[in-house]
Amino acid sequence: MNQNDIINTTIDFVKKELENAEGGHDWFHIERVYKNALLIAKGENCDILVVQLGALLHDIADSKFHDGDETLGPKKARLFLENNSMSENTIVHVVNIIENISFKGGNTEKKFHSLELDIVQDADRLDAIGAIGIARTFNYGGFKNRAIYNPEIAPNLHMSKEEYKNSEAPTINHFYEKLLLLKDKMNTKTGIQIAQERHQFMEVFLSQFYSEWNGEK
């Protein structure tokens, strides 16, 4: 199977797996991350097949929607890649990307490092900020029936991985607990440049939000 064939086969597989997924973690999220990854990869000397497969499979079974099981995604990806005759080196690399891409409260050290992980991680983080990031955040907050904002509940900036995973805080808190932190956690030159503008958009949004909340505008 040539490279184009495996990518097309992977796209078909992911579309089917995520057919009924929550709107912020559906096929269109994967497609945006895939496009972001290709854009970032243009400026990097990387293994483009690993980047493509990592981007397409990174959320194949997000633990948030599978009772916190962080092993299911890597297992599904490995089985799919094995069934499509990928080399063991490629499989291991893609699985490592899936296992190490998540934010997880921002306090977890990566156990694996590669340029390809840096690219896919930046691509995924870009989709968590800016206009799309705002839309996804409120979509997920609604999906979990969370309050939009509660001035009496302050953001927790020092959560453990478990606290982050189990948080039920208002949606606005998520901006401070994750989204506004991502600009300074980007890995690549292209990712850093794109993140700057998206970060600024979120700051403008929050300023407008508080003005409207407080009846100032």
Side-chain angles (χ1 to χ4, degrees):
M1 188 181 294
N2 65 36
Q3 190 162 325
N4 285 335
D5 288 340
I6 184 59
I7 294 305
N8 289 331
T9 298
T10 306
I11 288 172
D12 290 341
F13 170 69
V14 175
K15 282 183 175 180
K16 185 175 180 181
E17 286 290 310
L18 299 182
E19 198 169 22
N20 299 309
E22 179 266 333
H25 298 80
D26 57 3
W27 159 249
F28 295 111
H29 163 62
I30 303 300
E31 185 178 43
R32 292 189 302 270
V33 171
Y34 181 66
K35 290 176 180 177
N36 287 340
L38 292 179
L39 176 62
I40 295 169
K42 286 181 182 179
E44 305 291 344
N45 182 21
C46 62
D47 184 330
I48 190 62
L49 179 59
V50 169
V51 168
Q52 289 174 295
L53 293 173
L56 289 170
L57 294 168
H58 81 277
D59 258 353
I60 197 62
D62 191 310
S63 63
K64 288 193 292 293
F65 306 102
H66 294 87
D67 298 320
D69 186 353
E70 296 180 4
T71 68
L72 186 58
K75 285 177 183 174
K76 276 194 172 186
R78 170 171 277 282
L79 183 60
F80 168 78
L81 294 171
E82 287 176 344
N83 288 340
N84 285 278
S85 303
M86 289 292 97
S87 71
E88 180 62 15
N89 283 344
T90 297
I91 293 172
V92 169
H93 201 159
V94 172
V95 167
N96 272 316
I97 288 173
I98 296 168
E99 289 177 338
N100 289 276
I101 192 172
S102 293
F103 180 74
K104 298 176 183 175
N107 299 312
T108 305
E109 289 291 327
K110 284 184 188 176
K111 297 178 181 177
F112 172 80
H113 297 270
S114 77
L115 174 58
E116 290 74 18
L117 168 59
D118 287 347
I119 292 169
V120 178
Q121 189 173 60
D122 277 7
D124 187 40
R125 287 177 171 175
L126 286 175
D127 204 55
I129 60 178
I132 293 290
I134 292 169
R136 290 181 67 212
T137 299
F138 283 102
N139 190 82
Y140 185 72
F143 176 78
K144 299 294 284 186
N145 197 30
R146 292 178 180 169
I148 292 175
Y149 175 50
N150 185 338
E152 296 180 1
I153 302 177
N156 182 354
L157 303 181
H158 304 286
M159 284 188 284
S160 66
K161 176 183 170 181
E162 288 304 311
E163 286 174 326
Y164 179 79
K165 189 162 65 173
N166 297 318
S167 174
E168 297 180 356
T171 297
I172 284 292
N173 289 28
H174 192 59
F175 283 82
Y176 301 95
E177 294 166 352
K178 178 182 178 181
L179 309 193
L180 294 171
L181 305 178
L182 294 180
K183 173 178 67 71
D184 295 327
K185 293 182 177 293
M186 304 301 287
N187 304 297
T188 64
K189 183 178 179 181
T190 302
I192 291 168
Q193 289 173 342
I194 298 172
Q196 294 284 345
E197 183 176 353
R198 297 194 184 194
H199 181 89
Q200 289 170 6
F201 185 88
M202 292 191 298
E203 289 184 326
V204 170
F205 167 80
L206 287 170
S207 177
Q208 180 71 20
F209 178 91
Y210 293 125
S211 293
E212 293 181 14
W213 185 276
N214 293 319
E216 297 168 355
K217 284 187 180 179

